[in-house]
Amino acid sequence: MTVATKPAAAADKEMLISGCAAIAQALRLADIDVVTAYPIRPYDTVMQAVAKLIANGELDAEYIVASSEHDQFEIVKHASAVGARVFCGSSGVGWMYAMEAIAVTPALRLPMVALVGNRALDDPGAFGCEHNDALCVRDLGWMLTWVDTAQEALDTALIAYRVAEDPRIFLPCAIGADGAFLTHSETIVKVPSKEKVDQFLPKYDRGDKLLHPDNPITIAPQVNEDWVMEIRKQNDEAMRRARGVIQEAFRDFHKIFGRQGGNPFVESYMADDAEVILFGQGTLSMPVKVGVRKLREQGHKVGFVRLRWLRPFPTPEVQEALGRAKAVGVVDRDYSFGSPNYGAVLYNEVRSALYDLPKRPHVISFICGLGGREVTLDSVVEMSEILLKVAKTGKVEQPNYWIGVRG
Amino acid sequence: MTGSVEVVYRGIFQKHLGQRITRGIVLAAVKEGKVGISFGRYGDSPERNGIPAKSFAVVADNEEELQAYLSRYEPSNNDVTVAVDDTLCKGVESWAWYGLQPINKLTRPGGTVLATSMQSPEELLKDCHRKDAEWSLAVIKAIPSFSGLWVYKDDHTDVRVLGAIARLAPHVVKLESVEAAIRDEWGDELKVASVRKAYERVEIRKVRPDEGNPEKPYEFQLPKWWEMKEGLVIPGIPVKQEVEGWEGGYRPGRNPTFKKFSTRTMRPVVDFEICTKCTLCWLQCPDSCFDVTPTGHYDANMEACCGCGVCEAVCPVENCITMVNEAAFADNASQFETYEKDKDAYKTWLKGKIEDKVVTYRSHGFRYRGQYEEELAQMAAGGQLHSGVQSINEEPGAGPG
Ligand code: SF4
Ligand code: SF4
């Protein structure tokens, strides 16, 4: 007589894959229903990887090649309304071309997950990484997260579905992945088993918001000024709730997969006792960490804090991580021409978040690595030295620097 | 000192009329050295057939006084409320808000509701809801003027209303300034004469708070943000709803928050005795108005009817469905229930409604060449217009009166 026992969950499988392929693995594990594609670099590697999974019989999903990025997002928007788990993505001006569909998705509360393979906006036509494409949805009700390794890309994609599809949230989530450095580089990634993922990720259930003949509803009516503010308030509340749901999801993820045990919102690297801190998101973490170690060896108290979720913005965590430093340098791989102090997007967000602290650090803006230019070790040292000088003198001579620009 | 006037009109048919009146007020006020603003209620849908909509004019002594009325959708204490269609006295339910707004709701205490109507103030008062203050009801005798989206029927209604306003609220505009503005704008002495006649002849009746329609108007509370379904989801309306004591019959489900009492200018009356139960009216009605009665008849429910006239057009039985001016009705009672109670009385009632020429005439544009000249002559003679829609069997020019 045999006794039925719960089979031990299969071990993670290690694969040498790119950031985009890692996301494709997450899509396989999440068993998505509908994916739409329209080629643009660097996002298109994920579209190729998903096509391959379907062709190999590893994933059973509707793969729709759209006639443009706008259609791409419209199709998944509607598929999501009828209860399909969907995936979409784009890059640079492709993402911009879809903006009308992208902008309406949060108010419809459709939990679309999208990859933005970050790419400079034309013109000039360029493939390299800049964050301005994804940042265009910063204010619209999309959750927005940036990853810095292929492993984190896979893990975050699973977490994104769990958070987005939580009935308390039902908001779309965009994952920012730096073009080239992450989308196109292959590293060893731990790919978990389907059983583990099933424990973590429940089925997408739209409940009474499901567009189906058995559940007659109208969605997206035309309204007047008596209604819009309440609808915006609902989105605001969903975004506020997202904070707690993200924390829950990371806790469960850690329990089931043994990874992602740290702070879901910010990664602090040698920052606890740091006098000066560099702050940024995405793959610039790599050269900055190297630089931080080097400067530490020379006795400088330098640290690094990486932002993982831009929306919802983790105000308390950012205050906690940066509040004790004397000077903070926000490294933006984006621009916001004409903004306060001619700084860029993250700089102004961080400065605003720190404003309420009784004692706050000086904040310097560094615009760096635009158009995919490498953020070099020399650049990291240059930025750190500027900050160390500010920390020492207590004076900000110049609020904004373009680092690595010829001239 | 500020003054404001609201003009309540019917979408499409009176869009130009409403705007011409409020523009005229501002142009006249400017003649007195005042400043002013004329605007439509933005949330309205003036391009929808018959939907009640509004146009406003505010005048003030200076720009600072005017500011209190700027960046607003509607002034809430108007000196005069103009109903350019008298059926609007039953209440206003536009696209801009929900629930039935009594015609005098935004009229200030002591202010006046002015209607163009063939009814007397006494008769019209039966339609107007009561108000917690004294107010006046004024009437310019005229068939309500209707035209189209692209055309305007220049039957002097606009200038007559301006003349009456000069009488009712001289602090808003004076007669002389209205006349001067009209001379400037149109250079037409016949119009100036119409202004003066309306000024003299407008009938005014003071109304006490205990007079008028005692019915509590249908109200709708806007939900709080947490009471609304998220994701812009609106639950569907059930296909059917059972009616008590109506075995075999049913009522189609309808929007519980948007009644159409005030959208229509006409309503169908049905002769159940000659109805062949062919189902055409029920099938073709764009608003699912017809309740299916236990006897298999179709009863147009006045909570849902927008007055489009499709049922009259599709009914294959001659004189079975007739569209009648909404002004002829005091309530929204079920015709079928009235018929069931007393068939003979219903027949008499029906005949009376259909033959009531005073109210059934409506002025929907010009129907034959020369009608405009004819009407102008009438206007010059009496300051009052007599023609309207010609019935198919009538000779040209043979209007009521
Ligand atoms: S007029 Fe007739 S067809 Fe038109 S809405 Fe009313 S009942 Fe329906
Ligand atoms: S269309 Fe006329 S005859 Fe036919 S069911 Fe309606 S009322 Fe009766």
Side-chain angles (χ1 to χ4, degrees):
Chain A
M1 199 181 137
T2 52
V3 179
T5 50
K6 205 170 160 235
D12 291 349
K13 191 171 143 199
E14 294 200 340
M15 295 173 83
L16 178 63
I17 48 176
S18 69
C20 277
I23 286 190
Q25 286 297 326
L27 302 178
R28 174 181 65 78
L29 293 164
D31 193 17
I32 56 163
D33 302 306
V34 176
V35 55
T36 54
Y38 188 84
I40 185 168
R41 218 173 146 180
Y43 139 85
D44 59 354
T45 26
V46 74
M47 148 189 163
Q48 292 164 29
V50 173
K52 209 162 149 186
L53 288 173
I54 293 174
N56 289 346
E58 293 177 68
L59 169 65
D60 180 16
E62 216 44 69
Y63 188 99
I64 300 168
V65 181
S67 64
S68 70
E69 286 90 351
H70 185 273
D71 285 10
Q72 214 190 330
F73 281 83
E74 277 296 332
I75 293 165
V76 284
K77 192 183 98 187
H78 287 84
S80 179
V82 300
R85 175 169 288 165
V86 298
F87 177 77
C88 198
S90 196
S91 289
V93 287
W95 173 253
M96 302 302 284
Y97 185 53
M99 196 49 72
E100 190 248 355
I102 289 171
V104 300
T105 305
L108 295 170
R109 308 297 289 278
L110 297 169
M112 182 191 298
V113 172
L115 170 74
V116 188
N118 296 125
R119 166 177 174 160
L121 296 173
D122 296 355
D123 279 330
F127 296 143
C129 169
E130 256 173 29
H131 291 172
N132 283 81
D133 51 3
L135 285 173
C136 281
V137 301
R138 182 187 62 162
D139 303 331
L140 303 181
W142 276 73
M143 293 183 286
L144 206 42
T145 172
W146 256 271
V147 293
D148 75 337
T149 63
Q151 185 69 59
E152 193 172 288
L154 185 151
D155 295 352
T156 302
L158 294 173
I159 289 167
Y161 278 110
R162 162 103 174 228
V163 175
E165 291 173 1
D166 189 303
R168 292 168 289 178
I169 310 299
F170 279 154
L171 286 175
C173 182
I175 302 168
D178 289 354
F181 307 122
L182 179 55
T183 56
H184 283 61
S185 312
E186 301 192 334
T187 51
I188 293 290
V189 174
K190 291 194 175 77
V191 180
S193 67
K194 182 86 176 74
E195 296 86 70
K196 276 191 190 171
V197 172
D198 287 346
Q199 275 178 55
F200 174 71
L201 187 62
K203 288 221 164 342
Y204 170 36
D205 180 1
R206 223 170 145 60
D208 62 1
K209 295 181 184 66
L210 184 72
L211 197 60
H212 188 276
D214 293 342
N215 180 47
I217 55 169
T218 295
I219 54 176
Q222 185 78 18
V223 303
N224 66 14
E225 71 278 358
D226 284 336
W227 299 90
V228 180
M229 231 175 136
E230 285 68 27
I231 291 161
R232 300 282 182 254
K233 182 63 188 153
Q234 291 180 329
N235 269 58
D236 172 62
E237 288 290 323
M239 191 59 97
R240 285 167 193 258
R241 287 193 296 267
R243 206 182 133 72
V245 175
I246 291 169
Q247 284 166 329
E248 256 175 55
F250 271 85
R251 257 199 312 273
D252 288 355
F253 194 96
H254 180 60
K255 246 186 258 159
I256 295 169
F257 302 94
R259 286 193 302 274
Q260 303 294 351
N263 188 319
F265 296 111
V266 291
E267 182 201 4
S268 271
Y269 186 78
M270 300 192 177
D272 289 352
D273 65 338
E275 270 183 14
V276 304
I277 297 176
L278 286 163
F279 181 95
Q281 61 184 10
T283 56
L284 65 83
S285 60
M286 306 302 164
V288 174
K289 283 178 181 174
V290 176
V292 164
R293 282 198 300 272
K294 200 174 153 195
L295 288 156
R296 283 267 170 182
E297 277 165 24
Q298 294 166 8
H300 301 297
K301 285 193 163 176
V302 181
F304 171 61
V305 172
R306 181 170 65 94
L307 185 71
R308 303 180 67 185
W309 290 79
L310 182 74
R311 288 289 180 272
F313 190 87
T315 310
E317 284 78 4
V318 167
Q319 287 177 340
E320 166 63 27
L322 304 180
R324 286 183 302 275
K326 288 189 175 143
V328 171
V330 180
V331 190
D332 268 286
R333 201 160 216 158
D334 59 80
Y335 47 82
S336 176
F337 298 125
S339 72
N341 282 344
Y342 299 95
V345 177
L346 277 190
Y347 162 73
N348 279 304
E349 296 254 326
V350 169
R351 224 156 69 108
S352 160
L354 298 180
Y355 189 80
D356 292 329
L357 291 180
K359 195 170 162 288
R360 47 184 182 262
H362 292 294
V363 185
I364 311 291
S365 156
F366 296 118
I367 290 174
C368 192
L370 295 189
R373 183 157 299 180
E374 279 182 33
V375 177
T376 61
L377 192 56
D378 285 349
S379 302
V380 177
V381 172
E382 187 187 343
M383 294 186 281
S384 303
E385 279 170 355
I386 293 169
L387 294 179
L388 286 164
K389 192 171 166 209
V390 171
K392 201 168 148 204
T393 61
K395 278 204 192 77
V396 175
E397 280 167 19
Q398 189 181 323
N400 163 261
Y401 296 82
W402 280 59
I403 301 295
V405 64
R406 283 191 301 278
Chain B
M1 189 173 183
T2 52
S4 67
V5 174
E6 68 170 335
V7 179
V8 190
Y9 65 88
R10 296 252 174 227
I12 293 198
F13 310 127
Q14 299 184 309
K15 183 181 147 143
H16 300 291
L17 178 61
Q19 196 194 19
R20 283 167 77 104
I21 294 169
T22 51
R23 278 176 54 81
I25 292 168
V26 175
L27 291 171
V30 168
K31 295 274 172 226
E32 298 170 27
K34 293 181 179 173
V35 292
I37 176 176
S38 158
F39 59 101
R41 198 189 191 286
Y42 187 66
D44 282 338
S45 197
E47 280 84 25
R48 313 255 163 183
N49 271 21
I51 294 276
K54 291 185 178 187
S55 208
F56 294 94
V58 184
V59 301
D61 290 340
N62 55 56
E63 296 285 350
E64 273 178 24
E65 273 187 9
L66 192 62
Q67 262 173 6
Y69 290 87
L70 302 180
S71 303
R72 293 186 58 188
Y73 286 120
E74 56 180 18
S76 49
N77 56 337
N78 297 288
D79 298 279
V80 182
T81 297
V82 184
V84 278
D85 176 17
D86 56 355
T87 58
L88 288 163
C89 288
K90 294 185 170 194
V92 187
E93 187 181 13
S94 83
W95 280 41
W97 61 82
Y98 301 85
L100 191 71
Q101 198 179 65
I103 189 69
N104 54 20
K105 186 174 176 195
L106 302 186
T107 317
R108 70 165 168 78
T112 308
V113 173
L114 168 68
T116 53
S117 179
M118 294 303 285
Q119 304 181 71
S120 66
E122 211 58 45
E123 285 169 292
L124 205 51
L125 185 56
K126 289 182 201 145
D127 288 346
C128 303
H129 290 90
R130 289 185 179 177
K131 189 175 171 70
D132 278 346
E134 296 208 342
W135 56 288
S136 299
L137 180 59
V139 168
I140 311 175
K141 210 148 205 134
I143 292 165
S145 173
F146 277 47
S147 30
L149 185 58
W150 307 115
V151 290
Y152 175 66
K153 184 172 190 260
D154 198 2
D155 59 7
H156 291 206
T157 300
D158 49 356
V159 295
R160 298 181 72 209
V161 168
L162 289 172
I165 290 170
R167 167 90 174 275
L168 299 166
H171 69 284
V172 177
V173 276
K174 294 192 178 57
L175 182 62
E176 305 79 60
S177 42
V178 170
E179 291 178 358
I182 286 171
R183 277 196 191 98
D184 265 14
E185 187 86 338
W186 293 299
D188 184 339
E189 281 306 320
L190 201 53
K191 283 192 169 150
V192 174
S194 288
V195 169
R196 244 179 259 142
K197 278 180 190 141
Y199 180 89
E200 285 155 17
R201 292 178 189 179
V202 58
E203 275 182 78
I204 308 163
R205 184 203 190 283
K206 287 243 179 284
V207 185
R208 292 191 316 268
D210 61 350
E211 290 180 299
N213 179 0
E215 168 205 88
K216 195 175 155 12
Y218 167 71
E219 269 182 356
F220 173 70
Q221 211 63 42
L222 286 166
K224 310 262 191 279
W225 67 261
W226 67 85
E227 293 169 336
M228 289 161 57
K229 266 199 178 306
E230 298 195 8
L232 307 185
V233 168
I234 300 165
I237 289 165
V239 177
K240 284 183 183 185
Q241 106 202 27
E242 302 299 328
V243 188
E244 239 188 68
W246 265 33
E247 273 71 53
Y250 74 92
R251 180 166 289 165
R254 299 194 175 102
N255 184 345
T257 52
F258 186 60
K259 316 277 174 191
K260 299 192 188 122
F261 305 134
S262 65
T263 355
R264 59 177 177 268
T265 58
M266 304 189 91
R267 70 162 75 168
V269 288
V270 184
D271 188 343
F272 298 104
E273 308 236 300
I274 57 174
C275 165
T276 61
K277 306 181 186 175
C278 76
T279 74
L280 279 178
C281 56
W282 171 74
L283 273 173
Q284 301 287 328
C285 170
D287 286 40
S288 312
C289 293
F290 286 92
D291 295 349
V292 181
T293 73
T295 54
H297 286 97
Y298 299 96
D299 186 23
N301 190 314
M302 288 303 120
E303 280 202 8
C305 172
C306 67
C308 70
V310 165
C311 50
E312 181 192 46
V314 298
C315 179
V317 180
E318 209 178 336
N319 295 329
C320 179
I321 299 186
T322 313
M323 296 301 291
V324 173
N325 187 345
E326 181 63 21
F329 303 91
D331 60 26
N332 294 304
S334 154
Q335 291 172 26
F336 183 74
E337 278 168 15
T338 318
Y339 168 71
E340 285 284 89
K341 250 180 244 148
D342 185 342
K343 299 204 161 78
D344 287 336
Y346 181 77
K347 267 173 109 170
T348 315
W349 175 87
L350 190 66
K351 200 161 173 271
K353 291 296 171 205
I354 293 169
E355 289 174 358
D356 184 348
K357 285 284 180 252
V358 175
V359 292
T360 47
Y361 267 91
R362 300 197 77 83
S363 155
H364 279 262
F366 298 108
R367 303 291 288 254
Y368 53 91
R369 182 169 297 190
Q371 190 183 350
Y372 182 55
E373 285 73 16
E374 228 171 71
E375 288 188 0
L376 283 184
Q378 288 169 1
M379 194 101 56
Q384 176 183 323
L385 204 57
H386 287 306
S387 71
V389 179
Q390 294 298 122
S391 95
I392 292 158
N393 302 321
E394 238 167 344
E395 289 301 313

